[in-house]
Amino acid sequence: MITIIKPDFNQILKAAERIKPYAHRTPVLTSESLNRLTETQVMMKCENLQKVGAFKFRGATNAVYALSEAEAARGVATHSSGNHAQALALAARLRNIPAYIVMPDNAPAVKKSAVKDYGGRITFCEPNQQAREATLARIIAETGAIMIHPYDNALVIVGQGTAALELLEDHLDLDAIIAPVGGGGLLSGTALAATGISPGVRVIGAEPEMADDAYRSLQAGKIIPSLNPQTIADGLLTSLGELTFPIIRDHVEQIVTVSEQAIIKAMRLIWERTKLIIEPSAAVAVGLLLEKKIALSGLKAGIILSGGNVDLDNLPWQSHPH
Amino acid sequence: MITIIKPDFNQILKAAERIKPYAHRTPVLTSESLNRLTETQVMMKCENLQKVGAFKFRGATNAVYALSEAEAARGVATHSSGNHAQALALAARLRNIPAYIVMPDNAPAVKKSAVKDYGGRITFCEPNQQAREATLARIIAETGAIMIHPYDNALVIVGQGTAALELLEDHLDLDAIIAPVGGGGLLSGTALAATGISPGVRVIGAEPEMADDAYRSLQAGKIIPSLNPQTIADGLLTSLGELTFPIIRDHVEQIVTVSEQAIIKAMRLIWERTKLIIEPSAAVAVGLLLEKKIALSGLKAGIILSGGNVDLDNLPWQSHPH
């Protein structure tokens, strides 16, 4: 039987201990240009410099290493074409267990080969939700592998929370923390970390305008799934889950939406001024600060640069003149 | 009268104290992919994350802040279209003194505006060495500004040496340090730092095959200037100077040359695997490790990622299919 935990601050502390031998403690960097442009003192937690290039390695590693020996021997499984797939594949390889990854057959070649390079065992399926779930169910039935959901999993949530924990350990005087929100694993983990270590800190979610299900869910007081959202922030297409929604509802001050144009502008700004490669999903949090839709002027704000996985042959400003 | 110092380890320690309030202590990062591909344990000193995106800020800041009040009031001057120009402009702005920068009128717009953004006072000249020197001499005569040479200046050399000092403070067990070499400011400073703090460490210069004047100078035992070199590593076009040559001759184990193809491949590899933006000049040191021209296998090697200033609209792999 798989142990069920309640995602809370204590579990984040446990996750931090558990993943310490495997994950990078990523640096927190600053940029005077960014401070000037945002009128905020910005502390960038560089999860783009994390293993596999994204914070997702934290949650996947926590979930994999929380398994008992017997559980782990069965392997882990998920459906994802994004950073969680790579993260789970690498975490499983480190523990020397199989990772079964279900991916749509039209996933970009660069993502397929990344998962394969980390030792993931890929099963392709048709590119729709029904096929993904049916294929994953079949693989779990065949192998006995343990499903590790990309975000609606307590061990994953508290694992993601370790990024904010480290950020606040380094800078306890932050007024606010901003994290991007898709399925809400990072944002809910961030909120739990913040309430535990620094209860006064404001936790703000940054979401693409074009995939604003979390914004609408908070307004409605219930989960409103997104329907086929189109945004360049392709890590934020998913909707809030049963576990992430109530944590975000209870502990996040607000969700702020960011335009596509601001996301691309923010991404390029970070590349140019800080020499850090971030992906569009990470740029959403920067875009929030640049657009100044909420009053953060003069404050000290942490942002989680969530990842840096991009296709260098297909950058957004190559097709969007600036 | 300007104070003349001898570039040595003690002066590097002084420089470290002097620039501490202004320069970033840049992180030292690692990448398991890079270790695997190079068969070396690589510690990357991230000077691309330094202010103005390059180690040059260290030397310029040391030179500017070493001036007496009376000297400083006259301002500083240089001719450069590269990172030194930006570095000197910012260092001067921090001390609230003028920086006079002579640039060829055909310099890329992005470089002109960077210097201007940092408050540099630009004088354009025809794009040849004679015009640059004549224009600089005129400005110095008119303003009394103090010339800060990009590399053949003792304060600049020891300032650049603070990057290796920090790297060795963090990782005293390095077997080797690799730095790119153009005019030799970084490499000579690195060699002085290494011999002072860890005399056994091997110091190796990485130079583009297409601009191999330092390699040839060490072979010949005298400075052999480069004649109109053509390399993508546009920060390494200059030749060794009167101050940098003897330090490199006496303290650097060897210069290794790196092909253009290896430079571009190394640059892309670092972008993809580490999410760090580095410029071609920084990639030369990585290319040396990838090409395995000298036996470093199994060793722990520090490399100085010297800078990250690139034109995002004109990346080398856009014109070089891979």
Side-chain angles (χ1 to χ4, degrees), chain B residues 140-167:
Chain B
I140 287 173
E142 285 171 12
T143 63
I146 289 158
M147 161 72 174
I148 309 289
H149 193 277
Y151 55 87
D152 219 28
N153 171 308
L155 288 160
V156 169
I157 290 170
V158 297
Q160 320 301 31
T162 60
L165 178 71
E166 291 174 7
L167 172 57

Side-chain angles (χ1 to χ4, degrees), chain B residues 206-230:
Chain B
E207 188 173 41
E209 236 169 58
M210 303 292 283
D212 66 344
D213 64 284
Y215 174 81
R216 289 184 292 114
S217 298
L218 281 203
Q219 299 290 316
K222 62 178 184 186
I223 298 176
I224 301 190
S226 27
L227 296 168
N228 193 27
Q230 303 290 331

Side-chain angles (χ1 to χ4, degrees), chain A residues 280-295:
Chain A
S281 303
V284 178
V286 182
L288 185 158
L289 284 170
L290 285 172
E291 286 204 313
K292 298 180 192 153
K293 276 194 186 172
I294 56 170

